[in-house]
């Protein structure tokens, strides 16, 4: 399986609810990044968390990193229809490349 | 400030044809990248350029060549297209290296018949 794998593959929630998606990885990392991709568009960077950090916030986004479990989670609070997108984690393992997971497709119902 | 631009947006090729995908960034970034994204999958790195004048292979370089023409421009060439190269291609640019945030272009949707 891939270095970064998101879970669940798909998530459908109602507007106003929180959305949580997880990313697991296999080898040690320098940092982990989360990106959003709207349908038919390029990826947009959301947040970067370094290996020595445990939690970061940006607006309605909260990212946690547990290096002992090799996992990260992305929480979107009070979701909006505009949050409908695919979300990818990407890990920097120091091998001169980011490794992207296959993504979580989030659908926020109005 | 246009960010990362890519041309063309769509392209259909026949097997064996060649083409070049163009990418330009106006953010004065050192690093530039080419990825491909297949349906339902994450991005896979084809080639990258850490600085003007240097290029390196990524995870899936076979069948592709690249040119870092100057600091702004990074092109991807398919010399003899194959159906397996049907994909969406994204160019990205970033700061110093992979530890920095990457900024993506809108993508080129390529179909090889």
């Amino acid at each position: 399986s891939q270095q970064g794998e998101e879970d669940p593959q798909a998530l459908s929630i109602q507007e106003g609810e929180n959305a949580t998606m997880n990313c697991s990885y296999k080898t040690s990392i320098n940092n982990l990044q989360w990106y959003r991709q709207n349908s038919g568009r390029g990826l947009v960077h959301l947040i970067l968390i370094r290996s020595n950090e445990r939690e970061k916030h940006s607006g309605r986004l909260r990212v946690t990193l547990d290096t002992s479990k090799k996992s990260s989670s992305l929480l979107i609070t009070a979701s909006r229809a505009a949050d409908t997108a695919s979300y990818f984690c990407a890990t920097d393992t120091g091998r001169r490349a980011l490794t992207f997971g296959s993504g979580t497709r989030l659908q926020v119902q109005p | 400030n246009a960010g990362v631009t890519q041309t063309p947006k769509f392209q259909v090729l026949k097997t064996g044809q060649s083409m070049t995908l163009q990418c330009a960034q106006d953010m004065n970034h050192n690093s530039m990248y080419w990825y491909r994204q297949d349906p339902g999958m994450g991005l896979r790195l084809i080639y990258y350029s850490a600085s003007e004048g240097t290029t390196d292979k990524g995870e899936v370089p076979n069948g592709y060549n690249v040119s870092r023409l100057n600091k702004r421009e990074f092109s991807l060439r398919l010399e003899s297209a194959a159906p397996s190269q049907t994909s969406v291609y994204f160019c990205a640019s970033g700061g110093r290296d992979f530890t920095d945030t990457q900024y993506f272009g809108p993508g080129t949707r390529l179909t090889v018949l």
Side-chain angles (χ1 to χ4, degrees), chain A:
Chain A
S1 57
Q2 298 183 73
Q3 158 71 348
E5 290 192 2
E6 291 89 345
D7 171 61
Q9 290 187 328
L11 180 61
S12 182
I13 59 174
Q14 296 294 125
E15 211 165 22
E17 294 181 335
N18 295 341
T20 299
M21 51 205 87
N22 304 296
C23 172
S24 60
Y25 56 91
K26 295 189 171 186
T27 61
S28 61
I29 60 171
N30 294 324
N31 70 58
L32 185 146
Q33 304 181 33
W34 284 93
Y35 287 81
R36 184 188 74 228
Q37 183 180 35
N38 291 90
S39 181
R41 308 290 291 273
L43 278 70
V44 174
H45 180 261
L46 295 176
I47 200 163
L48 181 154
I49 187 165
R50 302 195 185 281
S51 59
N52 60 353
E53 298 175 312
R54 292 296 168 259
E55 186 171 314
K56 283 190 83 168
H57 296 255
S58 177
R60 293 184 296 111
L61 306 180
R62 181 176 80 112
V63 169
T64 61
L65 179 65
D66 186 335
T67 53
S68 66
K69 295 182 179 178
K70 292 186 169 59
S71 68
S72 173
S73 67
L74 170 67
L75 168 67
I76 304 173
T77 59
S79 62
R80 307 166 181 168
D83 295 327
T84 294
S86 292
Y87 292 82
F88 295 89
C89 68
T91 52
D92 167 24
T93 62
R95 291 171 59 191
R96 299 175 63 78
L98 282 182
T99 302
F100 287 82
S102 55
T104 292
R105 294 186 307 280
L106 173 65
Q107 177 75 43
V108 181
Q109 307 284 355

Side-chain angles (χ1 to χ4, degrees), chain B residues 47-58:
Chain B
Y47 270 94
Y48 66 96
S49 170
S51 62
E52 185 179 350
T54 68
T55 60
D56 285 284
K57 295 178 180 179

